[in-house]
Amino acid sequence: MPQLNPAPWFYILVASWLILTAMVLPKILNYVFPNEPNTQDTIKTKKDSWLWPWH
């Protein structure tokens, strides 16, 4: 069964992953988000109680 011979397919797999990691991933990792997330305060603020009637 020729499909069990890994010689040409393994080379194609390794070559495609090398191309992916060498060319595509650095471009994706250099992407800068337009809005950087802000850190939240660790101090919790007091919430106002609910003053409306329930009926």
Side-chain angles (χ1 to χ4, degrees):
M1 292 189 297
Q3 69 268 22
L4 295 179
N5 183 7
W9 305 113
F10 184 72
Y11 174 74
I12 292 170
L13 175 73
V14 170
S16 62
W17 274 105
L18 287 175
I19 291 170
L20 176 74
T21 56
M23 299 177 74
V24 176
L25 286 180
K27 291 182 180 183
I28 294 172
L29 293 176
N30 286 336
Y31 177 74
V32 178
F33 291 104
N35 298 324
E36 291 294 327
N38 295 330
T39 58
Q40 295 181 351
D41 294 334
T42 57
I43 302 170
K44 293 187 178 187
T45 59
K46 182 181 176 187
K47 303 284 184 183
D48 293 336
S49 62
W50 186 269
L51 299 176
W52 293 358
W54 286 97
H55 53 87

